[in-house]
Amino acid sequence: MIGEHVLAGYVHDAGGREALDLARAIVALTGGELSVATVHPPDRAGAAGEAHALLEQAAELLGEQPAELLVQESRSVGRGLTALAGRIGADLIVVGSPEGGARGRIGVGAAADHLLHSATEAVMLAPAGYAPPDELGRITVMYVRRPQCDEAVIRAAQAADRLDVPLRLVTLAIGDVDAERLRDDLALAIRLAVESAELPPEDVTADLAEGDDVADALDDLDWPEGELLVLASSEDAAAHRVFLGEVAVKVLRAAPCPVTILPRGYF
């Protein structure tokens, strides 16, 4: 299950604090290890000192929470976080949304954009203004019948079983589609989830989200407090890397909760 070693990318703004809070919440759920990092460019005077000062701020926010504090040099924040995650063995990178975006929605800054198209670890993004609830309420997987999504269902089912939360599978039905075929695919995915973990069948549900576009379809669903959405990478992703396709990016931007993206071939 992801979250055994979480790396939070910290910057001095609301998004950085929200990423830190979300990473702490994930570690509290999984019992995993927490690392916090700032990334600075290699060719700017004083950048390393500023990075260390930022980590001191992060340490104050963490209080007594145990965490490894790290400074990484890189010309790209996203590239630096990926390199650092590989070096320390982190399996999840958490970043926040840039300031100025819509509250309750995920904004994709430069660092997140890099991670969403080349990270070798799972990536989690926090919506703007997000404050983690005391408990995880449910895991939802966005599902299309293909191998990467089947892998995501298996991983999510195992995580839901371990964390004792229900699992929901969602398929988008946008425009003129064969809704009956999509429901059949969801039924097969439910069976896969139940067979992959020790979840009670009643704890695995499925929804067909219908609408004129992605945002409209997602608005058709309920999103209670404590939801976590899981996306699989595109078939165009290189092996063991994250890469979001066009529809998945729209889902990411419209989602009202944190989103985790799994690398292709996560097994």
Side-chain angles (χ1 to χ4, degrees):
M1 185 178 73
I2 63 170
E4 299 298 334
H5 189 169
V6 179
L7 173 62
Y10 182 74
V11 293
H12 183 51
D13 63 14
R17 294 188 294 274
E18 288 152 10
L20 189 62
D21 287 343
L22 180 55
R24 294 175 70 182
I26 296 300
V27 168
L29 286 171
T30 64
E33 180 181 352
L34 176 62
S35 295
V36 181
T38 59
V39 180
H40 69 87
D43 52 0
R44 183 166 62 81
E50 293 173 5
H52 283 284
L54 283 179
L55 282 182
E56 291 178 5
Q57 296 173 7
E60 293 178 1
L61 293 172
L62 288 169
E64 296 183 358
Q65 168 81 47
E68 183 180 19
L69 304 178
L70 302 162
V71 169
Q72 176 73 16
E73 181 180 275
S74 178
R75 295 186 183 280
S76 160
V77 174
R79 188 177 296 112
L81 290 174
T82 297
L84 181 58
R87 179 165 63 83
I88 65 176
D91 61 0
L92 177 66
I93 301 172
V94 180
V95 294
S97 296
E99 288 188 317
R103 186 174 180 82
R105 292 291 185 267
I106 291 173
V108 180
D113 185 63
H114 176 89
L115 293 170
L116 293 175
H117 293 92
S118 63
T120 52
E121 296 74 27
V123 177
M124 181 180 288
L125 287 85
Y130 184 75
D134 293 335
E135 296 181 350
L136 179 65
R138 181 173 63 187
I139 298 175
T140 290
V141 179
M142 196 60 59
Y143 184 78
V144 178
R145 193 177 179 188
R146 54 184 175 87
Q148 286 91 319
C149 285
D150 286 341
E151 292 177 5
V153 168
I154 293 170
R155 286 296 188 180
Q158 293 169 348
D161 180 21
R162 176 174 168 181
L163 299 173
D164 195 25
V165 296
L167 176 69
R168 176 176 66 167
L169 310 177
V170 170
T171 292
L172 298 177
I174 298 171
D176 187 17
V177 297
D178 184 349
E180 197 59 36
R181 179 184 64 80
L182 296 178
R183 289 190 178 93
D184 289 343
D185 290 346
L186 280 172
L188 292 173
I190 288 175
R191 186 166 68 184
L192 175 63
V194 172
E195 292 175 349
S196 301
E198 297 182 3
L199 286 172
E202 62 270 19
D203 282 355
V204 184
T205 60
D207 282 321
L208 195 63
E210 301 180 84
D212 296 328
D213 54 33
V214 170
D216 185 40
L218 291 188
D219 283 343
D220 186 48
L221 300 171
D222 68 299
W223 297 96
E225 186 178 18
E227 191 89 47
L228 174 64
L229 179 61
V230 176
L231 301 179
S233 285
S234 165
E235 292 178 329
D236 295 329
H240 310 298
R241 287 191 180 272
V242 167
F243 186 88
L244 279 192
E246 181 180 352
V247 174
V249 169
K250 293 178 180 179
V251 170
L252 177 78
R253 293 183 180 277
C257 63
V259 177
T260 299
I261 305 94
L262 302 181
R264 182 180 180 185
Y266 187 72
F267 285 126

